[in-house]
Amino acid sequence: MDQGRASPIPALPDPSTAAPNIDPELGFTAQDLIDHQERLEAQANEAFPYHVDVCTHTRGYVRQLIYACKTCGGGGVCVGCSVSCHSDHDLVELFHRRHFRCDCGTPNLYRHRPMTPYKQKTGYPEGAKPCSLRLHDSNKGWDIPNDENVYTKNFDGQFCVCQRGQHYDPETEKEDMFQCLVCEEWLHESCTSLYPKGATKPLISQDDFDTMICNACVRKEKTALLQAYLGQPGWLVVLPNENGWEVVGSSPDLEILASRKRARLDSDTCQQPTPLVDPHAHAHRMDVYLSSQFRQALCRCAGCTQKWQKIYPFVFEEEETYEPSEPEETDDTNSNASTSSSYDRAVAALSHLPRMQMIESLHAYQNLRDALFDHLRPYAENHELVSEETVRAFFEQHLASRRERTKR
């Protein structure tokens, strides 16, 4: 379930430990250490098999991971641009957004910048920069506006319907948040109908649903297509009863669901269910929680299929999501591992770690690697042996320098 949480990635090897396969009496050459580093690079490339060294703008409007850049003016950028063009900017992680084209290098990136004669004439504020990942394109990194992009309050760092969400801070936020499948807005768990009045714990476990549709989307006009399924198998809603609250729509046995789905596929007759729940008859929140099997409850006759595909295609079928692609395989005998740093590949893990933590870790690793190689280059050029004490002295000096910079 996508709740805005991140998963850890494997840690890089600890450079302060003893180098492997080294005779302490003979020492080792700088080239030995460089060769070992290249083997570590190859292992890191296997751990991070994707690259994000391209801007997704040329792919058009796709569902992808998006970061809103508050520094530039509130536009949204893809993963690659968040690192290459906006790494030191104030970014808001929005996770997946459908039908969105990267704003880097377009006027949309600066949509909140005040209008000036220069911006009115060019569409860009003074000091605007092109996309660094598309500088070799025919447009040199500049593009026309993305007229189909939709910007919600999330792009300004505002989430949920509560007061806390107006000043959302991912560093201090402790509560799980859920994203609406329809509008893609985010809600705190305690702000949903999982915690109705008087409830001290959620009435539906997070293990019992995969995603949700929020109260606002359920109650909108002309949403009868959604409302017909409230309380149906896999479409869980919280309703009041004489004892307090109850959950309607718990999923039956999977075999029963499968048999119902086959019956609908074999029939041309519309089998849209009779509505069980009228959201307008209830004053409390009417969020709906969708289990992993919720699509099996949908009628798939020709008429209903056409309606779903026109209004809610992403509810009817799981939508395709762009992910950073795998690089083409190369012949290891002809490749130069030292020119392909794991730093470049590791940025693909941005979707699995908090963004700033990843960038800081990668920068620190790159700086350490470059400093070590610069220190050992004279030894390699002169074919001199390097003792373990020499390497450990380097790391001690490097750590001391970092501590000194931290104090300033």
Side-chain angles (χ1 to χ4, degrees):
M1 185 185 304
D2 188 2
Q3 301 169 18
R5 286 189 169 186
S7 302
I9 59 171
L12 293 173
D14 184 358
S16 65
T17 59
N21 302 322
I22 296 176
D23 188 327
E25 295 183 359
L26 297 178
F28 61 97
T29 66
Q31 190 61 47
D32 290 333
L33 188 58
I34 292 175
D35 290 342
H36 177 62
Q37 170 66 21
E38 291 178 352
R39 289 193 295 272
L40 293 179
E41 296 281 351
Q43 294 173 10
N45 288 340
E46 292 180 3
F48 311 115
Y50 303 105
H51 61 75
V52 285
D53 55 356
V54 295
C55 173
T56 62
H57 183 278
T58 55
R59 292 183 172 271
Y61 296 91
V62 297
R63 186 173 189 265
Q64 59 179 314
L65 291 166
I66 290 295
Y67 298 84
C69 185
K70 297 174 69 175
T71 301
C72 289
V77 299
C78 65
V79 177
C81 290
S82 75
V83 176
S84 297
C85 311
H86 305 265
S87 62
D88 57 346
H89 291 185
D90 182 8
L91 298 184
V92 180
E93 186 174 9
L94 303 180
F95 294 86
H96 291 100
R97 294 280 156 161
R98 71 172 57 92
H99 196 73
F100 198 95
R101 185 162 63 180
C102 181
D103 284 332
C104 192
T106 75
N108 300 57
L109 184 63
Y110 310 97
R111 62 192 187 91
H112 283 334
R113 294 283 186 93
M115 184 61 67
T116 62
Y118 181 86
K119 183 180 179 182
Q120 188 172 13
K121 179 181 179 180
T122 65
Y124 297 89
E126 295 186 49
K129 297 181 180 180
C131 174
S132 64
L133 295 178
R134 294 189 283 110
L135 289 178
H136 298 293
D137 293 352
S138 57
N139 54 21
K140 305 300 181 184
W142 298 105
D143 265 297
I144 60 176
N146 293 329
D147 294 332
E148 298 181 31
N149 281 355
V150 176
Y151 306 94
T152 66
K153 65 181 182 181
N154 295 168
F155 284 78
D156 300 323
Q158 299 179 9
F159 295 84
C160 199
V161 295
C162 65
Q163 187 63 34
R164 281 186 297 151
Q166 303 306 305
H167 306 284
Y168 174 77
D169 183 358
E171 297 298 327
T172 59
E173 181 59 59
K174 302 300 182 183
E175 188 175 348
D176 287 345
M177 300 186 75
F178 304 118
Q179 186 179 35
C180 174
L181 176 61
V182 176
C183 67
E184 297 184 309
E185 291 287 334
W186 290 86
L187 295 165
H188 291 108
E189 180 181 34
S190 62
C191 294
T192 68
S193 60
L194 293 176
Y195 282 87
K197 186 177 181 179
T200 58
K201 62 179 181 179
L203 298 189
I204 305 175
S205 169
Q206 293 185 17
D207 295 333
D208 292 334
F209 66 96
D210 276 359
T211 186
M212 68 170 293
I213 300 177
C214 74
N215 174 73
C217 291
V218 169
R219 292 183 180 275
K220 282 184 178 178
E221 295 182 6
K222 301 180 180 180
T223 57
L225 198 60
L226 292 177
Q227 294 172 6
Y229 288 90
L230 299 182
Q232 296 296 329
W235 293 64
L236 287 69
V237 293
V238 175
L239 297 177
N241 62 17
E242 61 276 9
N243 297 318
W245 301 94
E246 65 177 328
V247 177
V248 179
S250 297
S251 299
D253 187 270
L254 295 182
E255 292 185 5
I256 298 177
L257 275 176
S259 64
R260 291 181 181 178
K261 180 179 180 181
R262 287 193 296 270
R264 287 191 295 273
L265 292 175
D266 294 339
S267 174
D268 293 331
T269 304
C270 179
Q271 298 187 37
Q272 178 175 306
T274 301
L276 297 175
V277 180
D278 179 7
H280 303 294
H282 300 276
H284 69 282
R285 287 191 64 90
M286 191 61 67
D287 304 304
V288 56
Y289 305 92
L290 306 175
S291 73
S292 60
Q293 305 294 324
F294 78 93
R295 290 187 175 92
Q296 294 192 14
L298 302 179
C299 175
R300 294 179 179 269
C301 72
C304 285
T305 296
Q306 184 177 14
K307 292 178 183 178
W308 281 113
Q309 291 178 340
K310 180 180 180 180
I311 307 174
Y312 302 114
F314 43 85
V315 177
F316 191 63
E317 299 286 354
E318 185 174 358
E319 57 191 325
E320 182 178 354
T321 301
Y322 170 79
E323 300 289 353
S325 60
E326 292 189 22
E328 296 182 0
E329 294 185 1
T330 58
D331 184 353
D332 291 339
T333 59
N334 297 325
S335 63
N336 184 353
S338 63
T339 63
S340 178
S341 170
S342 59
Y343 173 81
D344 300 322
R345 299 290 179 86
V347 292
L350 284 173
S351 60
H352 302 292
L353 267 187
R355 181 182 174 280
M356 291 312 299
Q357 178 183 341
M358 171 57 71
I359 289 179
E360 292 171 0
S361 299
L362 296 177
H363 282 171
Y365 171 71
Q366 183 69 35
N367 292 336
L368 174 62
R369 176 185 183 276
D370 291 346
L372 178 59
F373 276 29
D374 288 342
H375 180 75
L376 295 178
R377 188 170 291 111
Y379 291 89
E381 292 174 351
N382 297 324
H383 304 286
E384 296 181 17
L385 293 178
V386 182
S387 67
E388 180 176 342
E389 289 73 16
T390 300
V391 177
R392 290 192 178 277
F394 163 81
F395 283 115
E396 290 175 0
Q397 181 181 358
H398 183 80
L399 291 174
S401 299
R402 285 190 59 188
R403 294 191 190 100
E404 185 63 28
R405 289 195 300 270
T406 303
K407 295 178 181 178
R408 296 173 184 174

